[in-house]
Amino acid sequence: MVSITIDDVPNTRRFEKDGFQSVLMQKLDSLEIPIAIFINEARVYSTDSITRNFGLLNDWAQKEYITLGNHSFSHARYSITGVDAYASEIINGEAITRQLAKKYNKSLQYFRFPFNDLGEDSVQHVQVRNFLKDNGYTITPYTVESVDWMFNFVYEDFLDKGEVEKAKEIGEEYLRTTLAYFEFFEDLAFKDYQRTVNQIYLCHDTKLNADYLPQLINELKKRGYEFISLGEALTDKVYQQKENYYKKWGASWLYRWQATHEEQVGNMRKEPSTESITTLYNEILERKDK
């Protein structure tokens, strides 16, 4: 079982570039699986087409297969802002979404931290957990993630340069890497719990996923996966465990539940390699900085 969750919605920059249409949303319409989205409302105001951007967010919200989530207003990093400033990020991040949830008879109960940064230490972790609980939010975990944002950065760079075949190679590498991560985390879960668990996949509202997420879902179907809602995924008792990870880095919850730091780090080092995409990503950054 796996729940597909998409962060950084709505991608208004891509929306404008694609002639004011969301290609990703169109692809998801045809897949007929539940999806949870995590919204940064600041993105509505990030281009000059604010009215159209409002319409885009409304289009996402009205889909029956969509569960709505808060991803903070401006994608701020909690460990930097601290709890007082971050409280405003959380509340401001629901201003539009709360109204849309009411309009379409949906709940707004899930919050996901940008960068999955829950704070720099145990004090910050506890402070923000208490604030979210008091405001009716459930912290949304994930188990599988494959740096799709980095793949997308390289993918779009090749497309912008007209190097379509190289972009295609990146898309295919994204698929292979993500499937390898699913296998890795399934094996890790089975080692720790002697059973399969409900997985939660984290990806982003990007050009790459507009082009390749349907293929990934089809590949997962071939491997026997069923697609469930975020709420259903969280009914797995594995998500009721105490976390033992109090750092700011965005680790999978399968690591956070492990008892010791040594065990967590030891397993992280066994992950499928992303060295090749990291190298390309850094090369592009260096070129753009010149």
Side-chain angles (χ1 to χ4, degrees):
M1 302 285 190
V2 61
S3 172
I4 305 296
T5 65
I6 303 176
D7 288 5
D8 300 353
V9 177
N11 188 339
T12 51
R13 180 190 64 82
R14 191 75 235 173
F15 177 59
E16 187 170 327
K17 194 169 185 177
D18 288 339
F20 299 103
Q21 59 177 337
S22 172
V23 178
L24 177 58
M25 191 193 307
Q26 292 169 1
K27 297 286 184 69
L28 294 176
D29 284 346
S30 66
L31 293 176
E32 299 181 337
I33 64 171
I35 302 284
I37 63 171
F38 290 87
I39 296 164
N40 299 122
E41 291 192 8
R43 286 178 161 235
V44 172
Y45 310 100
S46 65
T47 74
D48 293 333
S49 305
I50 294 176
T51 300
R52 281 174 156 166
N53 294 342
F54 268 96
L56 172 62
L57 187 52
N58 180 78
D59 288 345
W60 276 108
Q62 69 178 329
K63 301 291 184 181
E64 290 186 5
Y65 62 82
I66 291 290
T67 295
L68 299 173
N70 185 340
H71 198 39
S72 84
F73 179 72
S74 64
H75 208 270
R77 185 181 276 279
Y78 169 51
S79 63
I80 294 175
T81 66
V83 70
D84 292 335
Y86 210 75
S88 296
E89 277 284 328
I90 295 167
I91 298 304
N92 291 338
E94 68 175 33
I96 307 167
T97 312
R98 183 74 66 184
Q99 295 180 44
L100 291 172
K102 183 176 180 181
K103 179 180 179 180
Y104 295 113
N105 196 31
K106 296 185 176 185
S107 64
L108 181 60
Q109 66 186 94
Y110 299 113
F111 182 86
R112 175 174 277 156
F113 287 84
F115 312 101
N116 285 285
D117 176 351
L118 277 66
E120 65 180 359
D121 54 30
S122 60
V123 174
Q124 280 197 339
H125 278 236
V126 171
Q127 287 174 329
V128 77
R129 282 182 182 279
N130 290 340
F131 180 83
L132 287 165
K133 183 178 180 181
D134 290 345
N135 285 272
Y137 279 110
T138 297
I139 295 174
T140 303
Y142 80 92
T143 55
V144 184
E145 190 263 348
S146 58
V147 295
D148 68 302
W149 57 272
M150 191 182 296
F151 279 99
N152 180 72
F153 186 84
V154 177
Y155 181 71
E156 288 204 49
D157 184 73
F158 279 132
L159 289 178
D160 289 343
K161 293 186 296 184
E163 299 182 41
V164 177
E165 287 304 312
K166 288 186 177 179
K168 183 179 178 182
E169 291 175 6
I170 296 301
E172 291 172 349
E173 185 180 349
Y174 165 55
L175 289 179
R176 288 193 300 272
T177 301
T178 304
L179 292 169
Y181 267 93
F182 266 92
E183 184 175 351
F184 174 82
F185 283 114
E186 288 288 2
D187 288 346
L188 183 61
F190 201 86
K191 177 174 73 73
D192 285 351
Y193 305 106
Q194 295 76 54
R195 66 177 178 88
T196 60
V197 303
N198 291 347
Q199 303 285 351
I200 299 175
Y201 178 58
L202 185 163
C203 61
H204 297 81
D205 182 0
T206 61
K207 169 66 173 169
L208 176 71
N209 280 313
D211 293 344
Y212 284 91
L213 186 59
Q215 294 184 50
L216 174 61
I217 288 169
N218 285 334
E219 288 298 321
L220 290 171
K221 285 180 178 178
K222 291 177 185 177
R223 287 159 172 75
Y225 280 90
E226 296 180 27
F227 296 87
I228 57 177
S229 69
L230 176 59
E232 187 175 354
L234 292 173
T235 62
D236 192 319
K237 291 182 179 180
V238 74
Y239 292 102
Q240 299 172 16
Q241 296 178 91
K242 176 182 178 291
E243 293 174 33
N244 300 300
Y245 180 89
Y246 295 106
K247 298 182 182 296
K248 65 181 180 180
W249 310 112
S252 166
W253 265 250
L254 285 168
Y255 299 137
R256 293 171 189 257
W257 294 319
Q258 291 178 327
T260 67
H261 179 68
E262 290 73 22
E263 186 179 11
Q264 294 162 0
V265 172
N267 283 304
M268 289 178 192
R269 289 173 177 164
K270 299 174 185 176
E271 285 188 3
S273 174
T274 55
E275 182 178 357
S276 61
I277 198 67
T278 301
T279 299
L280 286 171
Y281 174 78
N282 288 329
E283 288 174 355
I284 295 168
L285 286 181
E286 290 177 11
R287 169 167 53 81
K288 291 189 174 184
D289 285 341
K290 290 180 179 179

